[in-house]
Each structure stands twice: as C-alpha cells, then as structure tokens.
Amino acid sequence: MDGARRDARADDRAYETYDDGWFGYKAAFEAFITVRDEKETAKLARFSSELQWLEDRLPIDPASRNPKLGGMAPIRVVDVVFSSGQGNSGVQTAAFNLPNDERVVAEKGSKR
C-alpha cells in the first residue's frame, strides 16, 4: 500500500477460483483493511526465530521442506477494520500472504 501510514494496509484483489466448480476460470474478489497492533506483534516476535526449527522437523519428506524460511513468514497481529467479498464469507482468514503476483511483489513488496 502506498501512503504515509506503515501500520495500516489495504488489500483488494482477485481471489482464487475455488467457487467456479465447472471451469475454475471465474475469480472471486476480496478486500481487507487492517491496522497492525505493534504491542501484540512484539509479543509474538520470538516465534519468528523458531519457524525454521519447526520447518526442519515437519513430518513430511525433507525435499518438500523450505531450507531457507528466514524472513519469508513475518508474524504480525492486525485488527481487521473492514473485509468484504470472499474475505467476508465463511471462516474468516487467520493469515494471508498475498499478493501472489510476482510482478506486484517486485514493484510493491509483499507480506512474506
């Protein structure tokens, strides 16, 4: 998100195509506005340094594990101010790491 506030984020995007059971072409949309809670985020900071240890011990084929998780999975606590579309249906999202589009990631960055 461009702008002066670094603790607020707006995400508006085409979502996955799970709801198009026939062809998998039509994407749903979702939107979130979140505000980072710095105090609660700080409480979880120690877990970030343990993620590689956990990854290395997952009960899966080692070839499927990420050998360099590093800063790809920041843990942030946010207050959801607004959600709509697919982001407001069914079970509410507990974590999101979008955008998936590498062109957007290169230009604007990512939460990963």
Side-chain angles (χ1 to χ4, degrees):
M1 178 171 121
D2 293 335
R5 287 194 64 154
R6 292 308 212 187
D7 63 336
R9 181 169 182 104
D11 293 287
D12 181 16
R13 60 187 164 254
Y15 193 60
E16 306 295 347
T17 58
Y18 305 130
D19 290 339
D20 184 356
W22 284 33
F23 301 108
Y25 296 151
K26 294 184 219 168
F29 283 80
E30 68 179 4
F32 295 97
I33 298 176
T34 59
V35 177
R36 187 172 30 216
D37 184 326
E38 297 293 349
K39 184 178 176 183
E40 295 300 317
T41 296
K43 290 180 184 179
L44 294 177
R46 81 172 269 256
F47 294 106
S48 292
S49 65
E50 303 296 332
L51 292 177
Q52 188 65 58
W53 184 89
L54 292 168
E55 179 81 12
D56 294 342
R57 285 153 183 81
L58 287 173
I60 60 175
D61 181 358
S64 298
R65 297 179 191 150
N66 186 339
K68 295 182 181 180
L69 197 56
M72 290 178 56
I75 299 173
R76 294 189 181 103
V77 177
V78 297
D79 293 315
V80 178
V81 178
F82 174 82
S83 63
S84 68
Q86 197 71 5
N88 201 31
S89 65
V91 176
Q92 298 297 301
T93 302
F96 45 99
N97 283 331
L98 298 174
N100 286 329
D101 187 330
E102 293 305 321
R103 294 170 301 158
V104 176
V105 171
E107 183 178 328
K108 299 291 185 179
S110 167
K111 295 178 188 175
R112 298 177 250 186

